[in-house]
């Protein structure tokens, strides 16, 4: 089967850096995605890693280590608008390539 | 470019009643997904369509849930009869590419929040 683990809550202050970790277990791994969801809103795509290493997109970066079945999302220069839930999701080729989401990490950014 | 449209935004029904949700994906997106998101959890895939064919419905409770995408564009998801545990947000998503090497970026609608009383 598959499982993903990420912290349920993280709190940080404006301007700080925060890292949200995700560990996964899956039999057929394509890649790791990250989605952001504001309260009452639609999940929106942030990043995707298929290979080991760091992907940077503006203030957000995502890292993957396939050998450790581990990834993280790094948010820099935090802003109040970054307060949201963040989901890691794996694509599993043994599950037809569908996305399997973690339970989500609720990030609260304080002034 | 218009996003994924869903309606209604909210629905309150009593248990054992029926309900239907509608989704219009981004134009040109062949793959359409319906997810169920229970409060405090991540989205869980219910069904995936490629054009008007079902690719994966392994987690769809087929005794009460049904979905169709007759012309390969719009889709409807129906629950009949609803149970208390069906209270959730029902999200529709679409994607352009589904290849093994693709990022599979899914574009989500805002969802329908269903409350079953």
């Amino acid at each position: 089967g598959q499982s993903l683990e990420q912290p349920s809550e993280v709190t940080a202050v404006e301007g700080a850096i925060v890292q949200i970790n995700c560990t996964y277990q899956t039999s057929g791994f394509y890649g790791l995605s990250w989605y952001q969801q504001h309260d009452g809103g639609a999940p929106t795509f942030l990043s995707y890693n298929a290979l080991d290493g760091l992907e940077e997109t503006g203030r957000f970066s995502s890292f993957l280590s396939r050998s450790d079945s581990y990834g993280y999302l790094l948010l820099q220069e935090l802003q109040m608008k970054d307060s949201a839930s963040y989901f890691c999701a794996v694509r599993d080729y043994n599950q037809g390539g569908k996305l399997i989401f973690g339970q989500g990490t609720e990030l609260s950014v304080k002034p | 470019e218009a996003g994924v449209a869903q309606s209604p935004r909210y629905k309150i029904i009593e248990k054992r009643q029926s309900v239907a949700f509608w989704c219009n994906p981004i134009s040109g997106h062949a793959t359409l997904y319906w997810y169920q998101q229970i409060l405090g959890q991540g989205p869980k895939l219910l069904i995936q369509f490629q054009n008007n064919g079902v690719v994966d419905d392994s987690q769809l409770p087929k005794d009460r849930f049904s979905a169709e995408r007759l012309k390969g564009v719009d889709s409807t998801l129906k629950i009949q009869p609803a149970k208390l545990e069906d209270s959730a947000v029902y999200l529709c998503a679409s994607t352009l590419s589904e290849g093994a090497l693709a990022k599979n970026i899914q574009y989500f609608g805002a969802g329908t929040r269903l409350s079953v009383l």
Side-chain angles (χ1 to χ4, degrees):
Chain A
Q2 317 82 31
S3 69
L4 295 97
E5 288 191 21
Q6 52 181 130
S8 58
E9 296 178 346
V10 172
T11 302
V13 297
E14 260 188 308
I17 299 172
V18 72
Q19 179 173 311
I20 300 173
N21 298 320
C22 175
T23 57
Y24 60 87
Q25 278 190 306
T26 182
S27 54
F29 179 80
Y30 269 151
L32 184 71
S33 300
W34 289 92
Y35 283 78
Q36 178 193 60
Q37 185 178 30
H38 286 98
D39 197 29
T44 56
F45 173 83
L46 292 176
S47 69
Y48 177 75
N49 296 69
L51 302 175
D52 286 357
L54 192 68
E55 295 276 345
E56 297 180 71
T57 309
R59 294 187 297 115
F60 293 0
S61 304
S62 58
F63 172 83
L64 176 67
S65 168
R66 294 175 67 112
S67 60
D68 294 324
S69 298
Y70 163 77
Y72 66 72
L73 180 70
L74 190 73
L75 297 86
Q76 302 182 70
E77 301 171 21
L78 281 174
Q79 302 175 9
M80 297 295 289
K81 66 179 182 179
D82 298 329
S83 292
S85 292
Y86 292 83
F87 295 91
C88 59
V90 294
R91 286 195 76 193
D92 186 336
Y93 59 75
N94 284 336
Q95 294 288 322
K98 70 183 180 189
L99 275 183
I100 299 161
F101 285 82
Q103 298 282 66
T105 298
E106 186 173 352
L107 171 65
S108 297
V109 180
K110 306 294 186 187
Chain B
E1 180 183 74
V4 176
Q6 288 189 249
S7 66
R9 285 286 279 128
Y10 305 93
K11 191 73 177 178
I12 301 173
I13 61 173
E14 295 188 352
K15 59 183 179 184
R16 291 188 289 276
Q17 285 188 322
S18 302
V19 64
F21 314 124
W22 174 82
C23 172
N24 184 260
I26 292 173
S27 177
H29 282 195
T31 308
L32 183 148
Y33 311 83
W34 283 103
Y35 288 88
Q36 180 191 59
Q37 186 175 25
I38 292 172
L39 187 64
Q41 297 183 19
K44 184 185 86 170
L45 181 69
L46 293 175
I47 189 166
Q48 176 184 341
F49 290 95
Q50 180 75 15
N51 296 308
N52 60 350
V54 175
V55 173
D56 185 341
D57 63 357
S58 58
Q59 296 195 88
L60 187 74
K62 297 179 187 66
D63 58 334
R64 298 184 301 105
F65 285 63
S66 64
E68 59 183 16
R69 193 184 185 201
L70 291 176
K71 296 182 179 179
V73 181
D74 293 9
S75 178
T76 55
L77 176 70
K78 297 179 182 177
I79 308 175
Q80 181 180 10
K83 292 185 175 181
L84 296 177
E85 59 260 37
D86 298 332
S87 294
V89 176
Y90 291 84
L91 295 163
C92 179
S94 68
T95 189
L96 185 60
S97 58
E98 260 289 298
L101 299 180
K103 290 185 178 181
N104 187 237
I105 298 173
Q106 297 191 13
Y107 297 86
F108 285 82
T112 297
R113 186 175 298 270
L114 175 67
S115 296
V116 182
L117 307 178

